[in-house]
Amino acid sequence: MARFAIIYIFRFGIVALAMSLTGTAFSQNPHGLPHENAPAKTQDGEITDGDRIIRLENSGEANKKQLADLETELEKTKSEESDANAAVQQLVMQIEETQKALQQAKDSGDSVGVEQWQTRLTELDTKHKLATEQFNLTIQTRKTIQEQITTLQQKIARDRESLDKLKGVPSPQPTESEAPAPTAPSTPGSPDSALDSQQPKTPNSAESEKTAPQEAVISKDLAKALKAVQDKAKSLQDIEQDLEALTESKTLLEKSIELESEKLESTRRKYDGLETSLEIAENKFNDKLAAGTPAGELQQLRTQISDIQQKLRDARGEIRSSTNRLQELRNQLLALQADETQLVKHSGVLRREMATAKRSEWVLKVRDYLYTTVPKVVVILVLTLVLWMLIKLLCRRSRIWIAHAGRGTTAERQNRAHTLAGVFENTGNVVIVIGSLLMILDAAGVPITAVLGGAGVVGLAVAFGAQSLIKDYFCGFILLLESQFKVNDFVTIGSQSGFVERITLRITVLRDFEGNVHFIPSGQITSVTNATMDWSRAVLEIGVAYKENVDQVIEELKELTGQLKEDPEFAECILGDVEMLGVNNLGDSSVIVKFGVKTRPDKKWPVKRELLRRIKNTFDTRGIEIPFPHQTVIHRNENSNPARRVA
């Protein structure tokens, strides 16, 4: 029993020693960075690239050594797994043989044999249980080592990439089968495109001499600002890539720590199992020794105990190695966390500097815009104003010229001049405004080629979809060019009659006597009746009774027309003598006398109304009958004479 107590004390001592090693390593460096792994820092606490290179090189050598050790250990574990499997199979066979012997002893009634074989079976079951547990632990250890090898290989590759990047080693060129990624074109407004625009394309001393000194200084400052933004962006991108690589390294390292912890736990369980096996073997040896077992069998038990003790020593060595390796991995993880903190801090500083550089770039762009684009826009606006005033002056002069030339009265020529000048002025203003807008867009850096191309496509679509609208404008231009009518003319267009109030290239506006306004598209005007062009004629048809003397009536009408012509109120309205046509028709109840009076274009209606008024009054005074339509109805009866009724 004292011997067993010593074994248990020794066992717990080994476990305490392993835990003390872990605790001692952490107590020596509260930050978790041993002196051989801790990166050196500058005076301001920042970790330099040289420190990272040294640490990565040291870590790489250690990882390679550990990889070789793990491969050797894997082969050893595979051998142990094979031995453990053979031991389990052998115990299974022994258990089966013992069970058969036990059954035979039971069948033969040998109670002493039954007791011996039962004891033997219990001993074999215990050994089988321990052997099976050792076999399972060996399998788990082998899987863990394989995962460790895979993870360590990935970590070595990742550390190699990081080390090459820190040293500036160029990455391997893609093979011919790998097509190089196409270079994305620089978009307008990006830092790359702005820098490309600042780079001299072709040396041209003449253009450089024409550039104003102040503009050259502004362009140089803007190029510097853009270069600063680009440098900051590149540095920030590099840091983000470093952070991404660091995160992957941390993931691999954490997985390595997890696998090493599992391996350590398996080794400890294996150690516990070996201690139990040693205890069983020693108990068996003591029992055999007390029973006076032959020396040969005792020597075999001593050899078995010696093998178990050697396995215990190997397991203790594995526990120490795993504990030290686990501590080293944790130290590396803490170092990576320190690097990550430093990179995050540096990334924040770069982001703030980049924001400041972008603000400076924006200020310089605004200043450059004010010094280059605004003067061009001002010149364009001044030219637009000059052209607008010139158009107004030309239209004013054209009104005067058209009013003094051409046919018709002064009022007619003025109306025609007002109409044509108004149309030309509106058209000119539209052309000037559109041209100015395009020039301003071009000066502001907007590509007007796309705008013009789009306008062409839109114009083609409008040409197909709005043919009637284009027809209206074309017909309106022809009407104005031929001067078929003008403002204040009385015309009849289709079924609509009225005075012309307004004429444009697209529509003609008429207002009739009732005040109704008619809008007639120029494309729908097929024929126009102008009642007020040059001169007009007031035509009258006067009906008198059949009993009246027609010659006397004609003389009366001539006399009345002469009196109206001599009247000062209507003298300027009548342009000539009466044009007597004579008897024009013999109606059902009257004789129609027709005559006309030539008047000014818009005076025929007042003249006609005045003549009708005077004719009615004179005929009433002279007793000349103006008949109204009537019919004679005759009724016939069979027994009486026909009766006549006049209605």
Side-chain angles (χ1 to χ4, degrees):
M1 295 298 294
R3 191 170 185 177
F4 295 152
I6 294 173
I7 292 174
Y8 278 107
I9 292 172
F10 181 75
R11 170 187 171 187
F12 287 113
I14 293 296
V15 176
L17 177 61
M19 296 179 64
S20 65
L21 287 174
T22 306
T24 304
F26 277 98
S27 63
Q28 290 175 354
N29 189 349
H31 298 287
L33 294 174
H35 297 292
E36 63 273 14
N37 292 328
K41 296 186 179 181
T42 58
Q43 294 180 356
D44 54 357
E46 294 185 358
I47 303 173
T48 63
D49 291 343
D51 302 329
R52 294 190 180 96
I53 291 175
I54 294 173
R55 188 175 70 242
L56 286 174
E57 289 178 346
N58 295 335
S59 176
E61 295 297 331
N63 289 334
K64 290 180 181 178
K65 184 177 180 303
Q66 185 193 5
L67 182 61
D69 295 339
L70 286 174
E71 290 175 350
T72 303
E73 188 176 355
L74 179 62
E75 295 299 327
K76 180 181 177 181
T77 305
K78 288 181 179 179
S79 177
E80 292 178 356
E81 181 181 353
S82 178
D83 295 341
N85 187 19
V88 171
Q89 295 296 332
Q90 184 179 2
L91 286 172
V92 169
M93 293 175 61
Q94 292 178 1
I95 289 173
E96 290 178 354
E97 293 176 356
T98 303
Q99 287 176 348
K100 289 180 181 179
L102 177 62
Q103 186 63 36
Q104 290 177 1
K106 288 181 179 180
D107 294 339
S108 63
D110 187 2
S111 59
V112 177
V114 170
E115 183 178 356
Q116 291 178 350
W117 289 117
Q118 186 66 43
T119 303
R120 175 64 175 171
L121 183 61
T122 303
E123 180 181 350
L124 289 175
D125 287 338
T126 304
K127 289 183 178 180
H128 179 265
K129 182 178 179 182
L130 291 174
T132 304
E133 183 178 358
Q134 291 294 328
F135 181 55
N136 292 332
L137 289 174
T138 306
I139 294 175
Q140 183 178 357
T141 303
R142 190 250 309 162
K143 292 181 179 179
T144 303
I145 293 174
Q146 288 177 342
E147 291 184 6
Q148 279 184 307
I149 291 175
T150 303
T151 304
L152 195 58
Q153 289 174 345
Q154 295 176 357
K155 187 175 183 301
I156 290 173
R158 168 56 61 187
D159 290 346
R160 172 54 57 187
E161 292 179 1
S162 301
L163 187 60
D164 291 342
K165 185 175 181 180
L166 288 173
K167 289 183 176 181
V169 177
S171 58
Q173 297 295 330
T175 60
E176 295 181 357
S177 60
E178 297 178 358
T183 303
S186 299
T187 56
S190 65
D192 295 338
S193 63
L195 285 175
D196 293 339
S197 64
Q198 299 296 333
Q199 297 296 330
K201 303 295 182 179
T202 304
N204 191 342
S205 58
E207 292 183 0
S208 62
E209 291 176 358
K210 292 180 181 180
T211 306
Q214 191 169 5
E215 292 182 358
V217 173
I218 292 172
S219 300
K220 185 177 179 181
D221 293 341
L222 183 57
K224 289 181 179 179
L226 292 174
K227 184 67 167 59
V229 172
Q230 186 179 14
D231 293 342
K232 298 295 182 185
K234 186 176 182 303
S235 300
L236 186 60
Q237 183 180 4
D238 293 340
I239 288 180
E240 289 177 351
Q241 292 177 356
D242 292 342
L243 280 173
E244 183 178 356
L246 196 61
T247 302
E248 293 180 4
S249 299
K250 280 181 57 181
T251 303
L252 294 174
L253 197 55
E254 289 172 352
K255 186 176 181 182
S256 298
I257 292 174
E258 181 181 357
L259 293 174
E260 192 66 35
S261 299
E262 292 179 1
K263 180 183 174 184
L264 179 60
E265 181 64 25
S266 298
T267 305
R268 286 174 177 171
R269 290 172 60 189
K270 178 181 177 182
Y271 183 84
D272 294 339
L274 289 172
E275 284 187 337
T276 304
S277 299
L278 179 61
E279 181 182 355
I280 294 174
E282 289 178 346
N283 290 335
K284 183 177 180 181
F285 178 81
N286 293 330
D287 293 340
K288 293 288 184 180
L289 182 62
T293 306
E297 188 176 350
L298 291 176
Q299 183 62 34
Q300 184 179 2
L301 289 174
R302 286 193 187 97
T303 303
Q304 184 180 0
I305 291 172
S306 179
D307 292 339
I308 295 175
Q309 289 175 347
Q310 181 61 38
K311 291 181 179 179
L312 280 172
R313 287 192 293 270
D314 294 341
R316 285 195 294 270
E318 292 177 4
I319 290 175
R320 285 194 297 269
S321 299
S322 296
T323 303
N324 294 334
R325 178 58 186 165
L326 186 61
Q327 179 59 33
E328 184 179 354
L329 292 175
R330 288 171 177 170
N331 291 337
Q332 292 181 8
L333 180 60
L334 291 174
L336 289 180
Q337 290 175 350
D339 287 351
E340 183 180 19
T341 303
Q342 190 67 30
L343 287 176
V344 170
K345 179 181 178 182
H346 193 191
S347 174
V349 173
L350 277 178
R351 290 182 188 277
R352 290 191 295 270
E353 291 178 355
M354 187 174 176
T356 304
K358 283 186 176 181
R359 285 194 295 269
S360 300
E361 176 193 355
W362 182 81
V363 171
L364 289 174
K365 282 184 177 180
V366 171
R367 191 176 69 175
D368 192 24
Y369 181 83
L370 292 176
Y371 276 96
T372 56
T373 305
V374 172
K376 296 178 183 179
V377 174
V378 171
V379 171
I380 294 172
L381 293 177
V382 171
L383 290 177
T384 302
L385 181 61
V386 171
L387 289 176
W388 179 73
M389 296 177 64
L390 183 61
I391 288 291
K392 290 187 69 67
L393 180 61
L394 291 177
C395 290
R396 190 181 299 112
R397 294 293 182 183
S398 64
R399 286 192 187 98
I400 297 174
W401 180 78
I402 296 174
H404 288 82
R407 63 184 183 181
T409 62
T410 302
E412 293 172 354
R413 292 196 298 270
Q414 288 179 352
N415 290 334
R416 183 168 181 265
H418 178 73
T419 302
L420 292 176
V423 171
F424 289 140
E425 184 176 359
N426 292 335
T427 305
N429 290 336
V430 170
V431 172
I432 290 173
V433 170
I434 294 177
S436 300
L437 288 177
L438 292 177
M439 293 175 67
I440 289 173
L441 290 176
D442 185 38
V446 179
I448 62 173
T449 305
V451 177
L452 294 177
V457 174
V458 172
L460 186 62
V462 171
F464 283 104
Q467 297 182 15
S468 60
L469 187 64
I470 297 175
K471 180 181 178 182
D472 292 340
Y473 280 103
F474 182 75
C475 294
F477 176 76
I478 297 299
L479 290 174
L480 291 174
L481 184 64
E482 295 180 353
S483 187
Q484 297 181 9
F485 53 86
K486 54 189 175 298
V487 177
N488 294 329
D489 281 357
F490 187 86
V491 297
T492 300
I493 301 175
S495 60
Q496 306 297 334
S497 299
F499 288 94
V500 179
E501 284 197 346
R502 183 161 55 92
I503 303 174
T504 64
L505 288 177
R506 196 181 73 85
I507 60 172
T508 298
V509 181
L510 302 182
R511 186 181 293 273
D512 58 18
F513 183 73
E514 295 180 355
N516 300 321
V517 179
H518 306 280
F519 298 90
I520 304 174
S522 300
Q524 297 182 5
I525 299 177
T526 56
S527 62
V528 180
T529 301
N530 193 341
T532 57
M533 180 174 285
D534 297 338
W535 54 272
S536 295
R537 178 181 286 113
V539 179
L540 291 86
E541 292 182 351
I542 306 300
V544 296
Y546 274 90
K547 66 177 183 177
E548 303 295 340
N549 187 345
V550 176
D551 294 335
Q552 182 181 357
V553 171
I554 291 174
E555 292 298 327
E556 289 291 340
L557 293 176
K558 288 181 178 180
E559 182 179 356
L560 288 173
T561 305
Q563 293 176 358
L564 183 63
K565 184 178 179 181
E566 295 176 355
D567 190 339
E569 185 177 353
F570 294 94
E572 296 181 356
C573 299
I574 300 176
L575 300 179
D577 296 333
V578 63
E579 299 177 12
M580 182 60 67
L581 300 180
V583 178
N584 189 56
N585 190 15
L586 297 175
D588 294 336
S589 58
S590 63
V591 178
I592 306 300
V593 179
K594 186 174 183 179
F595 66 96
V597 180
K598 188 176 181 180
T599 65
R600 294 189 181 279
D602 55 345
K603 299 298 181 182
K604 67 176 183 178
W605 295 284
V607 171
K608 183 176 181 179
R609 286 192 292 269
E610 182 63 21
L611 276 175
L612 290 174
R613 185 184 70 81
R614 295 191 179 194
I615 289 172
K616 175 64 171 64
N617 293 335
T618 301
F619 280 14
D620 290 344
T621 303
R622 302 291 176 86
I624 299 174
E625 182 183 355
I626 301 176
F628 55 87
H630 62 277
Q631 294 179 346
T632 301
V633 180
I634 300 176
H635 296 279
R636 294 182 178 274
N637 296 324
E638 295 180 357
N639 299 324
S640 62
N641 294 327
R644 177 178 296 178
R645 180 181 179 185
V646 179

